[in-house]
Amino acid sequence: MTKNYLEIPEELYNKLSDYAENDQLSIRLENQQILLENPKINHTNKQNLALHYFIVPSLASGIIALLIFLSTNHPQIAFTGSRHLSVASLSIILSTLFGFFGFIWTYLRKSCDLSKSKFKIFRETLTLSVAYTSISFAVQIIFWYIIGKTFSGVTFDPFTAGFLVLVFVGIIFYFLISAALSITLPNLILLLFTTFIGGILVSMATNNQKDWWQHNFSFLGTGEATQHWQFNITLIFSALILLTITDFLFAEFSKSSLYNYKFKIIHVFYILIALLIAFVGIFPAQSWTMPIHNNSAFGLVAVVLIMIIFLKWLVPTVSKEFLALSWTALIALILSAVAFMGIHYLSLTVFEIIAFAIAFTWLVMFINSLRGIIQEGNEWQVKLLQK
């Protein structure tokens, strides 16, 4: 009988041995990729997701909703609306509460690197749980707003209403648990973009009547702005997510043979940038906090400029395309500064938006570039043999 073999380098064999269960690995094809996994872990994840992490909280939410609906003594429960407790309001409340704690539980058990310090584990877990729960909360608000306009006046008996709450909570809970089980660097980058851009756009929209753009970009975080906490919380949470991304990236990098003191310098730069972004939100552009706010904002751009100038020295293997893009970003930052401070062509608001957008985008693209370098270092040539 013909036997088929896969010849692999010894380094790859040693790495696969850490994942094997009794020298056994499962292999599957997914999205034109070949994935090797520990079969026991893979099976356990699916089983726990289906039974413990999904069904039990959904049933609990349905029972809680039913008891609350029955206690109101209303024969009919509104689908949406605020006249009394509705399917919409209870679904949002229960899915947010169960989802928040469910995400924490799942992430700690399945996705957390226990080799990290307890402080990092706590910070990452809390940051990700709040971020993902907030996104699900915002999506639900939009969803129920549309449903309210579409099915205005629809009511159900308490038992049907309780069952609908169970269904909607289950859907949101499944999304949050799936997210906790599949935390990857690309997902975190998408989360960073979603949190940052979404929060900034909401802050702009809520201050449209105050003509915030006639002041400056930082006006959105001052006490004169409407719901200024949204702008400041967005920056603080974006900084925390960036720290989490940095932890994930350099934890993976530290296992590579490419890791050296230059990458440690980049790591320090990213931590410093995250702190500066947080300071911009913690210290608004008003009264005694103005100097700290301004120095943090200018310091953020200055660190990005330093990283671009020394990019070739820091990462000698960086691609020519990204190097050219980086110098383009550098020139754009300098030209925008000249247009604002030199010839006064740009307003302060426009200059702040341009500078922050270029710096933020470059930082995320640099993370992707570093991730590509890691992936190149984790590639091996294998050979198929048949005997």
Side-chain angles (χ1 to χ4, degrees):
M1 182 178 65
T2 302
K3 292 186 177 181
N4 302 315
Y5 298 90
L6 187 65
E7 186 178 85
I8 62 175
E10 184 176 355
E11 183 183 0
L12 176 58
Y13 174 81
N14 294 332
K15 288 183 177 293
L16 292 177
S17 299
D18 297 334
Y19 296 95
E21 180 72 22
N22 297 324
D23 294 330
Q24 295 292 320
L25 288 170
S26 65
I27 187 168
R28 61 189 174 92
L29 298 176
E30 182 178 305
N31 297 327
Q32 297 182 341
Q33 293 181 331
I34 299 175
L35 302 177
L36 285 170
E37 298 175 326
N38 183 320
K40 184 178 180 180
I41 294 177
N42 189 40
H43 174 72
T44 303
N45 283 346
K46 292 180 179 179
Q47 187 179 37
N48 288 340
L49 174 62
L51 298 178
H52 304 293
Y53 297 167
F54 173 63
I55 295 179
V56 174
S58 300
L59 289 174
S61 65
I63 294 172
I64 293 173
L66 176 60
L67 294 175
I68 293 175
F69 289 147
L70 290 174
S71 66
T72 61
N73 295 321
H74 287 286
Q76 292 293 110
I77 305 297
F79 196 26
T80 61
S82 57
R83 183 163 50 90
H84 50 267
L85 281 178
S86 62
V87 172
S89 60
L90 216 53
S91 296
I92 293 174
I93 293 171
L94 291 176
S95 63
T96 301
L97 289 175
F98 276 109
F100 177 75
F101 292 106
F103 189 100
I104 291 176
W105 175 259
T106 307
Y107 182 74
L108 286 175
R109 292 198 62 183
K110 297 296 178 183
S111 304
C112 199
D113 185 358
L114 297 178
S115 63
K116 298 178 182 178
S117 66
K118 291 183 178 180
F119 174 75
K120 283 187 177 181
I121 293 174
F122 173 79
R123 189 195 70 213
E124 288 180 9
T125 305
L126 187 61
T127 299
L128 294 176
S129 59
V130 172
Y132 275 100
T133 305
S134 299
I135 291 173
S136 70
F137 179 82
V139 170
Q140 288 181 86
I141 294 295
I142 298 172
F143 170 78
W144 285 114
Y145 176 79
I146 297 172
I147 292 298
K149 295 294 184 181
T150 306
F151 299 100
S152 178
V154 174
T155 61
F156 301 97
D157 64 88
F159 291 93
T160 304
F163 175 75
L164 289 175
V165 171
L166 182 153
V167 172
F168 287 115
V169 171
I171 293 172
I172 298 300
F173 200 79
Y174 182 84
F175 159 75
L176 289 172
I177 296 305
S178 298
L181 288 170
S182 58
I183 295 294
T184 60
L185 198 56
N187 290 343
L188 290 177
I189 293 174
L190 179 61
L191 176 65
L192 177 61
F193 262 109
T194 304
T195 302
F196 181 78
I197 296 176
I200 295 299
L201 289 178
V202 169
S203 299
M204 290 179 177
T206 55
N207 286 278
N208 186 45
Q209 294 181 343
K210 291 199 172 186
D211 294 332
W212 63 269
W213 47 270
Q214 294 184 4
H215 300 271
N216 52 58
F217 189 57
S218 298
F219 173 83
L220 296 172
T222 64
E224 299 178 27
T226 302
Q227 296 181 339
H228 60 278
W229 62 270
Q230 293 178 346
F231 180 82
N232 296 327
I233 289 296
T234 295
L235 292 177
I236 295 170
F237 254 93
S238 296
L240 289 173
I241 295 173
L242 182 59
L243 276 178
T244 302
I245 291 174
T246 303
D247 290 341
F248 270 72
L249 177 66
F250 287 95
E252 188 175 354
F253 229 133
S254 62
K255 301 174 185 177
S256 171
S257 58
L258 301 174
Y259 192 68
N260 55 35
Y261 74 96
K262 293 182 181 179
F263 288 106
K264 291 181 181 179
I265 295 175
I266 298 174
H267 193 178
V268 172
F269 274 140
Y270 265 100
I271 293 175
L272 178 59
I273 287 169
L275 291 175
L276 291 173
I277 293 175
F279 282 169
V280 173
I282 295 172
F283 302 100
Q286 58 188 25
S287 65
W288 66 272
T289 61
M290 180 70 80
I292 302 176
H293 177 91
N294 289 339
N295 289 330
S296 298
F298 284 115
L300 169 63
V301 177
V303 173
V304 172
L305 290 175
I306 292 172
M307 291 177 69
I308 294 175
I309 292 172
F310 292 98
L311 179 61
K312 187 61 179 177
W313 176 78
L314 289 170
V315 189
T317 58
V318 67
S319 66
K320 294 181 180 179
E321 292 78 10
F322 183 74
L323 189 60
L325 180 66
S326 300
W327 282 101
T328 302
L330 176 66
I331 294 172
L333 284 172
I334 294 174
L335 290 177
S336 61
V338 172
F340 166 62
M341 294 182 289
I343 61 178
H344 306 291
Y345 176 74
L346 297 177
S347 66
L348 175 58
T349 302
V350 175
F351 169 68
E352 286 181 328
I353 292 176
I354 291 175
F356 210 82
I358 292 175
F360 182 79
T361 304
W362 184 84
L363 286 171
V364 174
M365 295 183 70
F366 188 33
I367 290 173
N368 273 323
S369 180
L370 292 174
R371 178 170 164 264
I373 293 174
I374 296 174
Q375 290 177 335
E376 290 177 3
N378 289 333
E379 290 183 1
W380 294 272
Q381 298 296 320
V382 300
K383 184 184 296 184
L384 294 174
L385 301 175
Q386 191 176 70
K387 294 182 181 179

